[in-house]
Amino acid sequence: MAVIKKENPVEKAKRERDGLDCLDNIIAYARQGFGSIEEDDLNVRLRWYGLYTQRPAEDGYFMLRVKVPSGILSSLQLRTIGELSVQYARGTGDITTRQGIQFHYIRIDDVPAIFARLESVGLTTSGACGDITRNITGCPLTGIDRNEFINTAPVIERVHRYFLDNREFSNLPRKFKITISGCPVYCTGHEINDIGLVAFNGENGVVFDLWVGGGLGAKERFGERLGVHVTEDEIASVCHHICGIFRD
């Protein structure tokens, strides 16, 4: 007797429509109200823009996650987050384990206004949740720590911009985590990321030791050191190819 396997509902929703393609729907839901949100968008696709329903979901509130590459905020960005917190999120603003910010008690009606305010100061929620490349972490003291091997803020920003809204990598088997650190005390937990790049002084200058395959969750594991040293200029390409292997 043939066994017919039922398709995973999350994978079905992702196959039918990319999570990044629901932004126009979010704008429409904001006009029409919480009750108008399609089930697959509510349970799956809204995550691609950082939105999770709070429990109980029937109350109509969301958690909203903001990406902060390397955990670095300007004073204007931090002030904007504070103002949004007071105006829309009952004063909430959790700092996440991946250096992002989480608001709570967000209503779908207010999401377009929040997105516009965040965009005006160079922040985004795109890719903050869902099966996509997540916020790229790094040492928050980069550029300040006098003992660091290299300031990684520029390369983190480049990699962040490369993957942001990139539909080539917007439907992954699960979330994909990258960390890049020039810190001598290895503060970013590179062993528990899908890609961990850790700087050190090589024979011809600063290079990055490459680790892959780490993660937490239901099947936690430490990453494996590949014995490969990557230059700063090679990092974006290396992340592209490793993420592509993971996707395929």
Side-chain angles (χ1 to χ4, degrees), residues 168-169 171-173 176 240-248:
E168 188 177 352
F169 301 101
N171 182 3
L172 302 178
F176 193 82
H240 165 95
H241 288 293
I242 293 174
C243 191
I245 292 169
F246 177 80
R247 174 203 60 204
D248 296 342

Side-chain angles (χ1 to χ4, degrees), residues 29-69:
Y29 296 145
R31 293 194 301 265
Q32 299 163 9
F34 182 84
S36 67
I37 304 176
E38 295 180 14
E39 183 177 358
D40 283 344
D41 284 345
L42 185 66
N43 296 329
V44 181
R45 300 187 193 100
L46 294 190
R47 298 177 185 178
W48 270 243
Y49 286 94
L51 287 160
Y52 274 94
T53 51
Q54 286 184 197
R55 296 178 181 176
E58 296 77 25
D59 288 351
Y61 291 112
F62 290 92
M63 178 275 287
L64 176 62
R65 185 176 296 157
V66 183
K67 294 169 82 173
V68 184

